[in-house]
Amino acid sequence: MAEQLLRQADNKVFIVGIAQESTLQKKDFPNKNGNGTYVAISGDITVKTGEEESHVVSYFAKELTAKGEPNKNFKALTTIMNEIVTVADVAQGLTEGEPTRLQCQGELSLNEYKGNDGEIKSFVKIQGKFSPQRYKGENFEADIKATFDIEGIIKSNKPELVDGEETGRLKVELYVPLYAGKVIPLDFITDVSVDNAGVEYLQENFVPRSSVNIYGNIINKSKKIERIVESAFGKNKTETTYERTREFAFDGGTLYEEGVHEKQIFDVSLLKEALAIRERDLATLKEKEVNKPQEQKDKGFGNGSANTAPQNKPTEDDGLGDLFGED
């Protein structure tokens, strides 16, 4: 009998904007078995969606599929790589014309690595699922966006605090099931447009162990702030700082209920093993990094196999107390 695993959650990101920068490259990568190399395109495309806002979408596509056949995504990504015109290209005089208008699809994932302090660092990234396409709509300005639509299991639901004071928004932590029974934790915040009645509903219904679908906007702003510092003599100097905001603000969602959303509800009894797999993967990452040369450290962590990882139990702060305690 096949092992039961958490079903993979719907996890969608949609971005429409102007190509700001591209680092796409065709490179040779070593095969995992150590024999030979394979060709793939790897890199990021930064998409500008506002005067002070942009979003990085990561791409990776092998030239050949597992069956040795040409990969359609590789072909499409090659075309984009060769033809894309970015804001950076135009600014540097490398090309003429208008920057390419793009529409991208992806999913939210985590990039995790060991920092120089020996601790595991984690940040959310947008992983492109298909090759980006040229914008094909009729009203580009109206269609510019960066949105997400995602399912998950509620880990916690708490008021947002800034300097110890509640902001009126809620911070919702989700466990998002991936492929092969894996899971990652992601944080979301209620959009400021959610009224008091909406916040009250979320507090009462979006409780730990609940299966939900939420959707909203990806915010990644970098506001430039310049301050004039007066000099005792001569010219004054200008100090430049940046005020950065990165969050996933949801403004709508659905609580999956028994008798209504039977197929969508996640089997929480399978979450313990998924979290155990995650802990083993992270432990393996820390062990492997110990013996790596310096130039190989601080590189991204995927979702490696749990088969060779040491057996580690989930830690106390992983939410298991809330999720699997007594009702």
Side-chain angles (χ1 to χ4, degrees):
M1 182 177 178
E3 179 185 5
Q4 249 191 313
L5 300 172
L6 276 171
R7 74 169 178 84
Q8 184 172 351
D10 281 342
N11 181 353
K12 302 172 184 176
V13 168
F14 300 97
I15 297 177
V16 175
I18 297 172
Q20 182 169 313
E21 188 176 4
S22 173
T23 63
L24 293 180
Q25 284 185 312
K26 186 185 297 185
K27 296 189 282 187
D28 290 333
F29 292 85
N31 287 316
K32 288 184 178 181
N33 59 14
N35 297 323
T37 61
Y38 64 89
V39 177
I41 289 178
S42 176
D44 302 327
I45 294 179
T46 303
V47 183
K48 185 176 181 180
T49 57
E51 190 60 36
E52 300 173 335
E53 187 161 14
S54 61
H55 306 271
V56 177
V57 186
S58 299
Y59 290 94
F60 183 85
K62 292 183 177 182
E63 183 177 27
L64 302 176
T65 66
K67 295 181 179 179
E69 300 172 347
N71 184 348
K72 293 181 180 179
N73 283 337
F74 178 88
K75 181 180 179 180
L77 206 54
T78 299
T79 299
I80 285 291
M81 180 181 68
N82 293 335
E83 298 180 0
I84 190 172
V85 176
T86 69
V87 173
D89 292 335
V90 175
Q92 295 173 37
L94 301 178
T95 186
E96 297 180 351
E98 294 294 320
T100 306
R101 296 177 173 184
L102 292 175
Q103 50 190 42
C104 308
Q105 295 185 50
E107 61 185 11
L108 297 180
S109 64
L110 282 183
N111 187 27
E112 298 181 293
Y113 60 95
K114 184 178 178 181
N116 292 329
D117 60 359
E119 297 301 316
I120 299 298
K121 311 297 181 182
S122 177
F123 67 90
V124 182
K125 66 182 291 187
I126 300 171
Q127 184 65 51
K129 293 189 69 174
F130 309 101
S131 172
Q133 297 182 343
R134 294 178 182 275
Y135 173 74
K136 299 176 182 178
E138 298 179 354
N139 191 341
F140 177 70
E141 295 298 329
D143 287 340
I144 291 176
K145 63 181 176 181
T147 64
F148 67 88
D149 188 335
I150 197 167
E151 296 178 311
I153 301 167
I154 298 287
K155 174 186 176 183
S156 66
N157 181 355
K158 303 173 183 177
E160 180 190 43
L161 299 177
V162 175
D163 297 329
E165 298 292 329
E166 293 189 11
T167 65
R169 305 197 303 177
L170 295 178
K171 178 182 178 182
V172 174
E173 298 178 271
L174 285 188
Y175 283 127
V176 178
L178 307 178
Y179 62 91
K182 297 176 184 291
V183 68
I184 56 173
L186 295 176
D187 294 344
F188 300 86
I189 200 79
T190 52
D191 188 86
V192 291
S193 64
V194 176
D195 57 23
N196 290 334
V199 170
E200 184 177 336
Y201 172 84
L202 292 172
Q203 289 176 321
E204 294 179 355
N205 294 278
F206 276 42
V207 296
R209 293 191 283 183
S210 300
S211 297
V212 300
N213 164 228
I214 58 175
Y215 43 85
N217 298 301
I218 303 173
I219 299 170
N220 189 37
K221 294 183 178 180
S222 182
K223 183 179 180 180
K224 184 178 181 180
I225 301 174
E226 294 185 340
R227 184 172 71 92
I228 303 299
V229 180
E230 293 187 2
S231 174
F233 71 93
K235 292 183 179 180
N236 295 332
K237 69 176 181 179
T238 302
E239 289 187 348
T240 302
T241 58
Y242 291 87
E243 183 182 276
R244 292 184 169 87
T245 303
R246 177 153 170 88
E247 61 187 26
F248 301 88
F250 67 97
D251 52 17
T254 300
L255 172 70
Y256 290 156
E257 301 179 83
E258 293 184 7
V260 181
H261 308 96
E262 293 298 333
K263 292 184 179 180
Q264 287 94 339
I265 294 177
F266 293 100
D267 186 346
V268 182
S269 67
L270 302 175
L271 182 57
K272 268 191 174 181
E273 178 56 28
L275 289 171
I277 291 174
R278 172 170 170 75
E279 289 299 318
R280 294 197 294 268
D281 283 347
L282 292 176
T284 300
L285 174 63
K286 291 191 80 168
E287 282 195 1
K288 287 183 178 180
E289 290 290 334
V290 170
N291 298 317
K292 279 189 177 181
Q294 185 63 40
E295 64 270 17
Q296 293 183 20
K297 292 184 178 182
D298 295 341
K299 290 192 176 180
F301 163 64
N303 295 297
S305 170
N307 295 333
T308 59
Q311 297 290 324
N312 279 11
K313 293 183 179 180
T315 55
E316 293 180 359
D317 62 351
D318 61 8
L320 292 179
D322 291 334
L323 289 164
F324 301 107
E326 294 294 330
D327 291 327

